[in-house]
Amino acid sequence: MTEKLRVIARLDVKDENLVKGIQYEGLRKLGDPHDFALRYYRQGVDELLYLDTVASLYERNNLGSILRRTTEDVFIPITAGGGLRSAEDVGDALKAGADKAAINTAALRDPSLITRVARAYGSQCMVLSVQAKRRDRDRPEAGWEAYYDNGREHSGRDALEWVREAVSLGAGEILLTGVDCEGFRRGMDEALIAAVTALVDVPVIAAGGASGADDLIRAAQNGADAVAVGSILHYEMAEVPQLKRALRDAGIGVRVCGAL
Amino acid sequence: MRRVVTVVDYGRSNLLSVQRALEHCGAEVRFAKSAAELDGARFLVLPGVGAFADGMAALNAAHMTEPLRRLARDGVPLLGICLGMQLLFDWGEEGGRTEGLGLLAGSVVPLPARTAAGETLKAPHIGWSALELSGAALESIREALPRAGEVYFVHGYHARPADARDTVAEIVYGGHALCAAVRRENVAGFQFHPEKSGETGLALLRAVLSAGS
């Protein structure tokens, strides 16, 4: 783990709306993503993560206009993902205000894309998004498989081997989603977080399933460098200062912003 | 009065984010893609994302290296951000040893491989760190920096100024003190991204803009 846990607000976007899904199925519309982004920025969140949830199905990315609007009054790092298929797509997202690009589907199809993006824009900007699903819920030793297209499609690849290969190809950060936990708010896949953070030296963002500060504390204790939080914030179950206070009280370093 | 800021566009930057932050701080932003467009600049910002050798190659290809040196030596305030700060130095190691702008004495080298305690140090350093100001910091910066003010870093290399008096602020990463901000007369640099460092970053940008007036 690095010195301070980053708390990242995850905003899943479909067309012009912030949405929230249960295991990527049954999307619920929540409103204008910019309103949410600004609210979390003012609460002191450390980064934003915009994911275009349907982009890879239609092979396009609609985040440009949302990114450009966000840069007007939100001054923290932004990662954009969903449907990015080439180094040119990444370049467009960066021009629109993103600082990093999260890639899953296109990297699984053509791992050399990781190297091209890292060479063109630096590995710090090449975030590998991994959707890891347990092969057998009753047999943890069976490990995890990497999925794509929002957790719907098998890649046939072992998730840990894929992470290791991607880092060797130039991925500078891992966005790690436990598909089994995604959207349930019943806790994160802690064994997965521990396995991936032990495997690679690049920062790991744990995502999927956080139901409250206790899950974030456990993610940090299992080695996560950052945590991505969606539902907890969107449904106002907790605000950012509250989460950071709980983390700090548990002995985990966080960025202090305003009155904690 | 609105300060007119010329942002050097050499194709290696998050220009939109830098522009928005400067505008938010009350500046009027112009972009310079060529030596001619640098002419008459009153305040220069050299942003940058990427590798040292590649960044210098891009500046050279745009024929802006010499004009930038000349403007800075003529006293035009110049703020380098991230790679832009690194390029202010004599030379850098990223992408092969490469000559920089040479406006500040020193070099840019990889982050230490190990923490002070001997453990593997994660690189690049991505995240928020608290600035510790040195005696050389401007009063306006001191006033702008809130207590426990943290700023956002993304870097795999760090500057080693030859003259310790050029270091304005440091951070501690992996138990090592690393140069985070520099200033010598009209030439200043931030290793962090003020445009991505929330209200603290904006306050520091405002301080530099007002100091250069």
Side-chain angles (χ1 to χ4, degrees):
Chain A
M1 199 190 114
T2 40
E3 298 177 338
K4 278 188 181 121
L5 185 80
R6 287 173 284 144
V7 178
I8 301 175
R10 171 178 164 176
L11 300 146
D12 287 10
V13 172
K14 184 186 176 190
D15 302 320
E16 300 291 302
N17 288 297
L18 178 72
V19 295
K20 189 64 211 172
I22 307 293
Q23 267 200 326
Y24 302 104
E25 305 293 339
L27 294 174
R28 218 171 288 170
K29 282 186 194 176
L30 299 178
D32 182 345
H34 183 257
D35 296 342
F36 287 81
L38 190 59
R39 191 167 91 209
Y40 302 149
Y41 170 64
R42 290 181 174 152
Q43 287 178 9
V45 86
D46 298 321
E47 285 182 41
L48 295 180
L49 169 63
Y50 276 122
L51 292 175
D52 188 334
T53 55
V54 294
S56 59
L57 297 179
Y58 301 117
E59 308 208 318
R60 62 183 163 76
N61 182 296
N62 283 324
L63 292 174
S65 62
I66 293 170
L67 288 169
R68 276 188 289 273
R69 256 180 85 204
T70 304
T71 59
E72 285 176 22
D73 46 17
V74 173
F75 299 99
I76 48 174
I78 306 171
T79 301
L84 299 173
R85 299 166 66 220
S86 64
E88 292 70 41
D89 286 352
V90 171
D92 289 344
L94 299 185
K95 277 197 195 101
D99 301 283
K100 303 186 258 187
I103 304 181
N104 176 9
T105 310
L108 278 166
R109 281 191 192 139
D110 174 12
S112 73
L113 175 63
I114 295 170
T115 308
R116 291 202 301 281
V117 170
R119 283 217 182 112
Y121 306 106
S123 63
Q124 83 289 338
C125 150
M126 172 59 235
V127 181
L128 181 78
S129 169
V130 180
Q131 295 166 355
K133 189 168 182 172
R134 285 179 185 271
R135 288 186 192 276
D136 185 342
R137 279 191 204 207
D138 301 324
R139 288 194 316 119
E141 67 279 10
W144 297 266
E145 184 182 342
Y147 274 60
Y148 63 99
D149 279 344
N150 300 321
R152 274 183 278 259
E153 301 290 337
H154 294 261
S155 71
R157 298 210 52 169
D158 179 79
L160 299 186
E161 275 172 26
W162 171 229
V163 166
R164 199 202 309 259
E165 181 187 336
V167 170
S168 74
L169 290 171
E173 193 166 19
I174 306 294
L175 169 61
L176 182 65
T177 307
V179 174
D180 302 284
C181 303
E182 178 64 32
F184 283 122
R185 302 201 297 265
R186 283 184 206 145
M188 308 180 92
D189 192 336
E190 292 164 27
L192 174 67
I193 296 166
V196 171
T197 54
L199 190 69
V200 292
D201 288 332
V202 301
V204 174
I205 305 166
S211 63
D214 288 348
D215 292 327
L216 308 187
I217 291 166
R218 279 194 293 273
Q221 287 165 345
N222 279 289
D225 300 277
V227 284
V229 188
S231 317
I232 303 178
L233 298 177
H234 305 335
Y235 295 120
E236 299 185 50
M237 296 153 70
E239 295 198 334
V240 176
Q242 213 179 323
L243 296 174
K244 286 196 171 182
R245 220 165 21 231
L247 284 159
R248 192 190 54 185
D249 291 348
I252 291 155
V254 288
R255 174 174 73 113
V256 181
C257 182
L260 255 199
Chain B
M1 194 192 80
R2 273 167 79 80
R3 172 172 277 287
V4 178
V5 173
T6 302
V7 175
V8 184
D9 175 6
Y10 58 117
R12 296 294 182 278
S13 319
N14 54 342
L15 284 183
L16 181 65
S17 301
V18 170
Q19 177 191 357
R20 296 276 212 237
L22 288 166
E23 287 172 351
H24 198 85
C25 295
E28 181 184 331
V29 174
R30 289 177 192 166
F31 293 104
K33 284 189 178 177
S34 65
E37 287 170 341
L38 287 172
D39 266 353
R42 307 294 297 273
F43 192 110
L44 286 159
V45 171
L46 179 64
V49 172
F52 194 104
D54 182 57
M56 273 317 291
L59 271 185
N60 290 333
H63 305 292
M64 289 197 283
T65 306
E66 277 311 319
L68 277 173
R69 284 177 178 145
R70 195 184 61 240
L71 287 163
R73 282 174 185 147
D74 286 349
V76 176
L78 166 60
L79 173 68
I81 297 174
C82 197
L83 174 63
M85 160 180 149
Q86 298 183 352
L87 297 180
L88 301 174
F89 284 86
D90 288 328
W91 54 273
E93 285 185 6
E94 190 179 13
R97 186 178 162 126
T98 305
E99 188 189 341
L101 288 166
L103 297 168
L104 296 172
S107 58
V108 180
V109 298
L111 292 176
R114 305 212 158 264
T115 66
E119 293 163 346
T120 304
L121 185 61
K122 287 207 179 193
H125 166 216
I126 301 180
W128 299 77
S129 296
L131 290 177
E132 291 169 24
L133 298 181
S134 76
L138 286 171
E139 197 53 39
S140 59
I141 295 243
R142 214 168 272 290
E143 283 167 11
L145 194 68
R147 214 159 46 85
E150 289 166 63
V151 289
Y152 183 75
F153 288 82
V154 181
H155 61 131
Y157 287 72
H158 68 109
R160 275 199 314 211
D163 187 337
R165 288 171 299 179
D166 292 346
T167 297
V168 170
E170 291 180 323
I171 54 164
V172 176
Y173 183 60
H176 301 284
L178 302 177
C179 175
V182 289
R183 186 179 73 89
R184 166 161 290 224
E185 295 166 0
N186 58 310
V187 176
F190 290 160
Q191 178 61 66
F192 53 92
H193 285 280
E195 76 283 9
K196 291 287 170 181
S197 296
E199 299 303 315
T200 303
L202 297 173
L204 292 171
L205 261 188
R206 273 188 214 104
V208 171
L209 287 171
S210 67
S213 58

